[in-house]
Amino acid sequence: MELIQQLINGVSLGSIYALIALGYTMVYGIVKLINFAHGDVFMVGSFVGFYSITVLDLSFVPALLISMTVCALFGVLIERIAYKPLRNATRIAALITAIGVSLLIEYGFIYVRGAQPEAYPSDVLPTDKFNIFGVSINSQSVLIFGVAVVLMIILQIIVHKTKIGKAMRAVSFDADAARLMGINVNNTISATFAIGSALAGAAGVIFGIYYIKIEPLMGVLPGLKAFVAAVLGGIGIIPGAMVGGLLLGVIEALVSAAGYSLWRDAVAFIVLILILIFMPQGLFGKNKKEKV
């Protein structure tokens, strides 16, 4: 029974990783860029959700929507200012810029509001517990997982059923050919950043409700773990990011259940090393060499 409880906890945590990982994998699929500032967009989303709940006195859903909207605009701003001028630059230049943007957001945020942590109110979502076959399940975990699944389904609909989704897939396949077919590549890339950042903002609110404590450097570790999840599933592949996030969350929960909670953070990077050695294309990726 304890194992089932840990699996439920792992799925809830994994859904947060999956939402963040989707941003990594979408951006990489379009512009072949690892956006290391993505974890900090997640942090901003968490604080926007916190202030929406505590200062504006909003409930969960409006706070979630506001956080997603602010983070979508923030993601577009980052792309237009920091990444668009480097569209044709070398990979290493874009990577260094991403790291620089990440540090700028973190310490700029600390400069503006200070480094003190905040705590989400405990009554944002119901915390009832119910038993299923002797397993005690927190209603909050179920609701968090449900919200994450709904957002992932909406993303799949956007990517496969809408005009902007078709444009994103076309640019991902061949940006030059897409441009010749009349697709506005710049707007498509901005839309990709907006959608990925909105999902990170949603993950930030969910994280705050689930773990209560938030602080300006909170995006570093979840951001890196979400990157591991994206690599695990196959970087650039949307279903892979979903599965990779959920799988990583379950692995961490099982490690904690086995009594090795101190190794919980290290396990994610052990998984990354093993994936890069034995299956560099990820679970859903094709085994082919990429031109650098």
Side-chain angles (χ1 to χ4, degrees):
M1 295 304 175
E2 178 67 24
L3 177 63
I4 296 174
Q5 182 66 58
Q6 289 296 334
L7 287 174
I8 292 169
N9 294 338
V11 167
S12 297
L13 176 61
S15 64
I16 296 172
Y17 290 156
L19 286 175
I20 307 172
L22 285 167
Y24 276 113
T25 210
M26 287 173 67
V27 169
Y28 184 84
I30 297 289
V31 292
K32 299 296 182 287
L33 167 71
I34 303 298
N35 179 21
F36 280 117
H38 194 60
D40 301 296
V41 175
F42 156 79
M43 176 271 293
V44 170
S46 190
F47 273 94
V48 171
F50 170 77
Y51 289 123
S52 297
I53 291 167
T54 56
V55 177
L56 301 179
D57 198 26
L58 298 176
S59 60
F60 171 69
V61 174
L64 185 75
L65 294 176
I66 288 174
S67 179
M68 291 177 70
T69 303
V70 171
C71 286
L73 295 173
F74 191 45
V76 172
L77 190 67
I78 291 170
E79 188 273 329
R80 287 295 171 101
I81 294 174
Y83 299 141
K84 186 179 177 182
L86 299 173
R87 194 71 51 79
N88 297 317
T90 59
R91 297 275 183 88
I92 192 67
L95 181 64
I96 292 170
T97 301
I99 295 170
V101 170
S102 173
L103 293 171
L104 177 64
I105 294 170
E106 289 168 11
Y107 291 97
F109 200 79
I110 290 173
Y111 178 78
V112 170
R113 70 163 296 279
Q116 69 274 16
E118 299 283 4
Y120 263 70
S122 58
D123 58 350
V124 179
L125 289 178
T127 55
D128 302 326
K129 291 189 177 181
F130 50 92
N131 289 312
I132 299 179
F133 303 114
V135 180
S136 179
I137 300 175
N138 190 332
S139 60
Q140 203 174 67
S141 299
V142 176
L143 285 169
I144 284 171
F145 178 65
V147 169
V149 169
V150 168
L151 290 173
M152 291 177 198
I153 291 171
I154 292 172
L155 174 64
Q156 286 292 84
I157 293 171
I158 290 172
V159 170
H160 293 284
K161 301 294 183 181
T162 66
K163 187 175 180 180
I164 189 63
K166 291 177 182 178
M168 286 163 58
R169 285 185 285 138
V171 173
S172 175
F173 187 76
D174 191 326
D176 291 331
R179 190 177 285 108
L180 291 172
M181 295 298 292
I183 293 172
N184 189 320
V185 173
N186 287 330
N187 287 349
T188 303
I189 292 171
S190 293
T192 304
F193 271 84
I195 294 169
S197 299
L199 292 174
V205 177
I206 292 171
F207 183 94
I209 291 170
Y210 196 65
Y211 287 101
I212 306 298
K213 179 186 173 183
I214 60 172
E215 46 94 16
L217 298 180
M218 62 176 280
V220 176
L221 198 54
L224 288 173
K225 288 182 179 178
F227 171 66
V228 173
V231 174
L232 174 60
I235 189 78
I237 300 169
I238 289 175
M242 298 178 190
V243 173
L246 293 172
L247 192 57
L248 187 61
V250 169
I251 291 170
E252 286 193 13
L254 292 177
V255 169
S256 296
Y260 298 101
S261 57
L262 292 176
W263 284 87
R264 178 174 158 174
D265 292 335
V267 163
F269 302 103
I270 292 171
V271 168
L272 176 63
I273 292 167
L274 292 175
I275 283 290
L276 291 176
I277 292 173
F278 297 107
M279 195 184 288
Q281 74 276 12
L283 297 175
F284 288 75
K286 296 179 180 179
N287 191 8
K288 64 179 181 179
K289 294 182 179 180
E290 182 189 352
K291 294 180 180 179
V292 179

